[in-house]
Amino acid sequence: MKTVIKKVLVIVVLFTTLLSNASKSSSLTVLDDDRTTTLELNNVKQGDLLRVIDSKGSLLYKERISATGNYYKGFDLSHLPNGNYHFELVKDFEIKIIPFEVLLNKVLINKKAETSIFKPSIRVNDYTILINKLSLNNNPVTIKVFFENLNDYELIYSDIVTNSTSISKSIKLDKKIKGEYKIIIESDNKIYTKNIRI
């Protein structure tokens, strides 16, 4: 019973930390002149990834953040075809999405539609896979676990979690079956994959 209480407390602390960091992680200031949209992001870390993606999911631009602190950069987005796009700031546990539209060579930022997606935490402890994920928008989360069998992956566990803002799963593996496992989590049109060896 004490072990269960400790695990629950660790999960609560993890999610509280994520939420407190999310509220101050980054803000957006966009200044438009005739050709340039200036993006300002606060509290970025070296190694964070900034991407520009179109409505079909195609990657148009990517850049690794080179320094911790505040990030400023001007982009000429006016040359893009009319349509919907978004910036993605990919951090350790969070993906910040900042949508914008290009219409007749004008860039329109929709700050009210800015959202955050939280990445799952996947750990292995004593033949048990521990999965935690925040899903504040209650979107479904699909969890699949595969075992590598003769260079092919065999599905050994599958679940879809719905109507939950805080997902916590514990999947016990058979100690006798050692080898390579692949965990795939799908949520918010994103796929997260982790390979583990036991």
Side-chain angles (χ1 to χ4, degrees):
M1 184 66 177
K2 288 183 180 179
T3 305
V4 172
I5 290 171
K6 284 182 185 176
K7 286 182 182 176
V8 169
L9 286 174
V10 168
I11 291 167
V12 168
V13 169
L14 172 70
F15 288 145
T16 304
T17 303
L18 285 173
L19 286 173
S20 66
N21 287 341
S23 63
K24 58 187 173 187
S25 67
S26 64
S27 64
L28 170 69
T29 302
V30 178
L31 308 169
D32 291 321
D33 64 23
D34 288 343
R35 308 234 12 118
T36 305
T37 299
T38 302
L39 179 66
E40 176 186 344
L41 299 167
N42 299 327
N43 300 318
V44 298
K45 273 181 29 183
Q46 181 179 3
D48 288 350
L49 180 63
L50 178 66
R51 301 188 287 211
V52 176
I53 297 177
D54 69 13
S55 60
K56 296 176 186 168
S58 298
L59 179 65
L60 305 178
Y61 174 84
K62 80 174 181 179
E63 171 189 355
R64 284 269 174 213
I65 303 294
S66 59
T68 298
N70 295 332
Y71 170 92
Y72 304 91
K73 185 160 190 169
F75 293 87
D76 181 3
L77 304 170
S78 62
H79 69 281
L80 292 172
N82 289 347
N84 294 311
Y85 303 85
H86 65 269
F87 288 102
E88 279 188 356
L89 177 63
V90 182
K91 302 171 80 62
D92 290 337
F93 293 104
E94 175 189 14
I95 301 171
K96 178 90 65 189
I97 297 173
I98 305 161
F100 66 92
E101 180 183 6
V102 176
L103 184 61
L104 303 174
N105 297 337
K106 297 271 187 205
V107 179
L108 311 165
I109 302 293
N110 187 353
K111 285 181 71 171
K112 291 181 181 176
E114 183 178 328
T115 59
S116 287
I117 297 171
F118 295 95
K119 296 180 183 179
S121 165
I122 304 169
R123 297 181 300 119
V124 177
N125 185 14
D126 192 30
Y127 296 94
T128 302
I129 300 171
L130 304 168
I131 298 170
N132 297 301
K133 178 159 182 357
L134 282 176
S135 181
L136 299 179
N137 51 14
N138 284 327
N139 282 346
V141 177
T142 301
I143 301 169
K144 294 180 181 176
V145 179
F146 297 85
F147 177 71
E148 184 181 17
N149 189 2
L150 302 172
N151 294 324
D152 194 19
Y153 282 95
E154 173 186 347
L155 181 65
I156 61 169
Y157 177 87
S158 181
D159 191 14
I160 299 174
V161 182
T162 58
N163 297 322
S164 180
T165 57
S166 177
I167 294 141
S168 181
K169 282 280 180 188
S170 140
I171 304 161
K172 191 78 169 162
L173 300 175
D174 188 340
K175 292 182 180 183
K176 297 175 195 162
I177 303 176
K178 298 190 185 310
E180 186 85 21
Y181 292 84
K182 181 184 283 190
I183 302 139
I184 298 177
I185 299 175
E186 296 180 47
S187 179
D188 301 299
N189 297 318
K190 303 283 182 201
I191 298 174
Y192 309 93
T193 303
K194 182 165 186 171
N195 291 334
I196 59 169
R197 177 168 283 282
I198 294 181

